[in-house]
């Protein structure tokens, strides 16, 4: 059976399923019960049916039109790898695997708890048809549910898909990098990501960010291949990768914006296959993404999409200056010091300029999504967590390594060193960039947030008649995840109502930046009438868990 004939059969089945299977059947399939009294779910199922019809019709149309396109062009240019280089790559993957599996069960944090509590009790069908907030990275949630079903209920099983995608993103980086730089630079990029504090941290984070990184890098590699070859198969693979990335997190759209810009440049060239990207790449990617989210689109547009589960009134998290400081802090942690971080920024600038001059598409893959995303989130007042730009890390790593190689070569020429010293200096610079990352790894496997440590201290020190009160968002981890059933307050009036009873009061809050801006009255009361017992830090910057105890009443 040829591919065109198989595609027509699949398209016909999609159309038939969309037209003939009733809405209530689709609801029962995903929910496991009749939930036809939910108007948003009904509308979502109707959108899903309509999407099947549109997708099937489009596939049929492509099947009839495919004969009009020209044959594929030249194959991708990929730097050759010697056996020793392949061995080095495999050794780095082994190191990366160990670093990401080590202490995988340690220190779950707030967002991971949201995923665990809100979505892991659901079936796979319920996950794909439920969208309470943007913390449902749907593809990741589905894979996490499968992991828990397979390996049992544990933090490490919840995080396992993130580990797999983290390792996959390193492989994808090597796959992409050899298309734009030498194999030597590609290996240094792999080494930098292997020993990166932040990449290890996100690989042990039960969220979809490493999956998004993986699909951003892989789709970009296939984009470059497809633009060179005009290959229908590569464009279809690209569309699938974009669809899966979008199903993980909608910020994949920022990457696609860069892809569209890069593709649009080719329209000015006399390439016979330049329109394949639109018909076999971008339009199918959009249809697949729509189909994936169809069931939950009504929930998303009614407000769930902008609900992160962490937002509060007047939060500093929407302040661009705060986001900038978080990036600076992240550089200090990742490069084990502010001075080294500044050098890394300078090296990045050199690499970026090098790509702007010789391979502008690489610079575009980093700059366009980051700048556009920053402006878009700022304009709507959305939270500016640096992790929303983690998808650009792969391109950033390549730029840094390329900058290190160029810096070594420039310095060698400045001091008039003859060959082979320019190349040797470049290699030494790249090696130095990787080496200075290593000291930061001594902290990466500590708890992300130490809620368990806070619970142990309170349970050990509390006295008969004491009450433990959580503030704002701290109620969720202690009560919903750890099942403590401690009273939660969000205002002075609620706190004073609890204090009317006899006994001491313990107040527990987390994420001090959020607490200060969202609950200023309570925080002022804590400063006046409470003593800080202990602040439990973690690897989540700004995620401290702070325990306070009411000061004893003055003697009369």
């Amino acid at each position: 059976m040829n591919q065109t004939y198989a595609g027509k059969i699949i398209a016909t089945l999609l159309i038939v399923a969309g037209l003939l299977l009733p809405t209530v059947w689709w609801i029962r399939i995903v929910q496991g019960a009749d939930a036809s009294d939910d108007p948003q779910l009904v509308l979502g199922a109707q959108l899903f049916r309509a999407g099947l019809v549109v997708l099937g019709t489009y596939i049929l149309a492509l099947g009839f039109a495919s004969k009009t396109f020209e044959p594929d062009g030249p194959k991708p240019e990929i730097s050759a790898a010697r056996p020793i280089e392949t061995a080095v790559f495999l050794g780095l993957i082994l190191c990366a695997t160990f670093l990401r599996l080590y202490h995988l069960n340690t220190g779950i944090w707030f967002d991971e708890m949201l995923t665990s509590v809100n979505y892991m009790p659901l079936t796979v069908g319920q996950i794909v048809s439920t969208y309470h907030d943007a913390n449902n990275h749907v593809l990741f949630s589905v894979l996490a549910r499968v992991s828990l079903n397979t390996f049992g209920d544990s933090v490490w099983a919840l995080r396992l898909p993130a580990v797999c995608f983290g390792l996959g993103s390193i492989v994808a980086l090597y796959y992409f990098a050899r298309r734009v730089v030498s194999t030597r630079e590609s290996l240094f990029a792999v080494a930098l990501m292997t020993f990166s504090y932040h990449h290890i941290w996100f690989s042990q984070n039960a969220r979809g960010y490493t999956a998004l990184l993986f699909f951003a890098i892989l789709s970009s590699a296939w984009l470059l291949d497809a633009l060179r070859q005009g290959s229908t198969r590569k464009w279809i693979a690209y569309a699938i990768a974009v669809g899966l990335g979008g199903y993980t997190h909608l910020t994949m759209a920022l990457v696609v914006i860069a892809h569209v810009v890069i593709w649009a440049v080719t329209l000015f060239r006399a390439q016979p296959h330049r329109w394949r990207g639109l018909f076999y790449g971008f339009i199918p990617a959009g249809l697949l993404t729509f189909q994936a989210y169809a069931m939950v689109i009504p929930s998303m547009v009614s407000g769930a999409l902008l609900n992160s589960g962490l937002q509060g009134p007047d939060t500093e998290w929407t302040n661009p200056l705060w986001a900038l400081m978080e990036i600076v802090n992240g550089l200090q942690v990742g490069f084990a010091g502010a001075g080294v971080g500044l050098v890394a920024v300078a090296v990045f600038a050199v690499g970026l300029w090098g790509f702007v001059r010789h391979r502008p598409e690489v610079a575009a893959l980093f700059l366009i999504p980051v700048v556009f995303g920053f402006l878009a989130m700022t304009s709507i007042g959305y939270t500016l967590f640096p992790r929303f730009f983690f998808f650009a890390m792969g391109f950033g790593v390549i730029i840094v390594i390329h900058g290190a190689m160029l810096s070594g070569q420039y310095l060698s020429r400045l001091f008039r060193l003859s060959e082979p010293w320019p190349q040797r200096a470049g290699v030494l610079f790249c090696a130095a960039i990787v080496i200075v990352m290593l000291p930061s790894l001594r902290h990466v496997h500590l708890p992300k947030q130490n809620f368990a440590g806070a619970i142990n201290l309170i349970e050990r020190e509390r006295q008969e008649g004491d009450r433990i009160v959580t503030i704002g968002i701290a109620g969720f981890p202690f009560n919903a995840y750890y099942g403590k059933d401690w009273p939660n307050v969000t205002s002075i009036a609620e706190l004073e109502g609890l204090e009317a009873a006899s006994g001491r009061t313990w107040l527990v809050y987390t994420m001090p930046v959020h607490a200060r801006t969202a609950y200023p009255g309570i925080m002022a009361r804590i400063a006046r009438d409470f003593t800080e017992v202990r602040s439990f830090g973690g690897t989540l910057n700004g995620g401290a868990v702070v325990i306070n105890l009411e000061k004893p009443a003055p003697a009369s």
Side-chain angles (χ1 to χ4, degrees), residues 176-260:
F176 174 86
R178 289 172 62 198
R179 284 157 170 76
V180 296
V181 293
S182 68
T183 301
R184 178 180 291 175
E185 287 185 46
S186 300
L187 286 173
F188 275 117
V190 167
L192 186 58
M193 190 173 277
T194 293
F195 298 109
S196 164
Y197 174 98
H198 294 97
H199 192 273
I200 296 170
W201 196 98
F202 279 99
S203 296
Q204 295 189 326
N205 177 27
R207 315 290 288 118
Y209 296 113
T210 52
L212 180 61
L213 175 65
F214 170 75
F215 289 117
I217 298 172
L218 185 63
S219 64
S220 298
W222 283 339
L223 173 80
L224 297 185
D225 289 356
L227 288 175
R228 178 174 171 82
Q229 292 180 270
S231 169
T232 298
R233 288 190 297 273
K234 278 291 173 69
W235 277 119
I236 292 173
Y238 165 82
I240 293 171
V242 168
L244 291 172
Y247 200 38
T248 302
H249 201 283
L250 283 173
T251 49
M252 184 70 190
L254 300 174
V255 181
V256 176
I257 291 172
H259 292 169
V260 171

Side-chain angles (χ1 to χ4, degrees), residues 86-96 194:
T86 301
V88 170
F89 170 70
L90 294 176
L92 288 170
I93 293 298
L94 287 176
C95 291
T194 293

Side-chain angles (χ1 to χ4, degrees), residues 125-415:
Q126 290 169 336
I127 289 171
V128 302
S129 57
T130 303
Y131 200 91
H132 300 308
D133 51 53
N135 288 283
N136 187 10
H137 299 178
V138 187
L139 178 62
F140 174 85
S141 298
V142 168
L143 296 176
R145 179 65 269 167
V146 172
S147 179
L148 292 175
N149 288 345
T150 304
F151 300 108
D153 190 2
S154 64
V155 173
W156 73 263
L158 180 67
R159 290 171 169 171
L160 189 59
V163 173
C164 294
F165 278 116
L167 294 172
S169 67
I170 297 176
V171 176
L173 179 70
Y174 188 58
Y175 181 76
F176 174 86
R178 289 172 62 198
R179 284 157 170 76
V180 296
V181 293
S182 68
T183 301
R184 178 180 291 175
E185 287 185 46
S186 300
L187 286 173
F188 275 117
V190 167
L192 186 58
M193 190 173 277
T194 293
F195 298 109
S196 164
Y197 174 98
H198 294 97
H199 192 273
I200 296 170
W201 196 98
F202 279 99
S203 296
Q204 295 189 326
N205 177 27
R207 315 290 288 118
Y209 296 113
T210 52
L212 180 61
L213 175 65
F214 170 75
F215 289 117
I217 298 172
L218 185 63
S219 64
S220 298
W222 283 339
L223 173 80
L224 297 185
D225 289 356
L227 288 175
R228 178 174 171 82
Q229 292 180 270
S231 169
T232 298
R233 288 190 297 273
K234 278 291 173 69
W235 277 119
I236 292 173
Y238 165 82
I240 293 171
V242 168
L244 291 172
Y247 200 38
T248 302
H249 201 283
L250 283 173
T251 49
M252 184 70 190
L254 300 174
V255 181
V256 176
I257 291 172
H259 292 169
V260 171
V261 171
I262 293 168
W263 167 77
V265 173
T266 68
L267 297 181
F268 299 99
R269 304 170 186 167
Q271 292 179 308
H273 49 68
R274 60 189 181 276
W275 288 104
R276 289 192 193 181
L278 179 62
F279 297 114
Y280 286 94
F282 299 121
I283 292 177
L287 292 176
L288 289 172
T289 304
F290 174 87
Q291 196 61 40
Y293 281 106
M295 281 281 188
V296 296
I297 286 176
S299 299
M300 296 169 72
V301 299
S302 64
L305 182 59
L306 296 180
N307 177 20
S308 70
L310 271 174
Q311 291 167 298
D314 303 319
T315 178
E316 287 185 29
W317 291 336
T318 60
N319 187 337
L321 183 59
W322 176 85
L324 179 62
M325 292 306 300
E326 286 296 290
I327 293 172
V328 172
N329 290 335
L331 286 172
Q332 291 186 42
V333 172
F335 287 98
V340 179
L342 288 174
V343 172
V345 171
V347 169
F348 176 87
V350 172
L352 186 63
W353 178 241
F355 277 123
V356 167
R357 293 175 59 198
H358 302 294
R359 293 299 298 261
E361 64 272 24
V362 179
L365 286 169
F366 181 86
L367 289 177
I368 292 175
V370 171
V371 172
F372 193 90
F374 183 84
L375 294 176
M377 292 181 187
T378 302
S379 66
I380 63 174
Y382 198 64
T383 47
L384 286 168
F385 297 125
R387 60 180 176 271
F388 289 161
F389 303 99
F390 181 71
F391 64 80
M393 181 181 185
F395 311 120
V397 163
I398 293 172
I399 292 170
V400 166
I401 290 299
H402 190 58
M405 187 67 74
L406 291 177
S407 297
Q409 294 172 3
Y410 293 157
L411 287 175
S412 295
R413 290 165 188 163
L414 179 65
F415 290 102

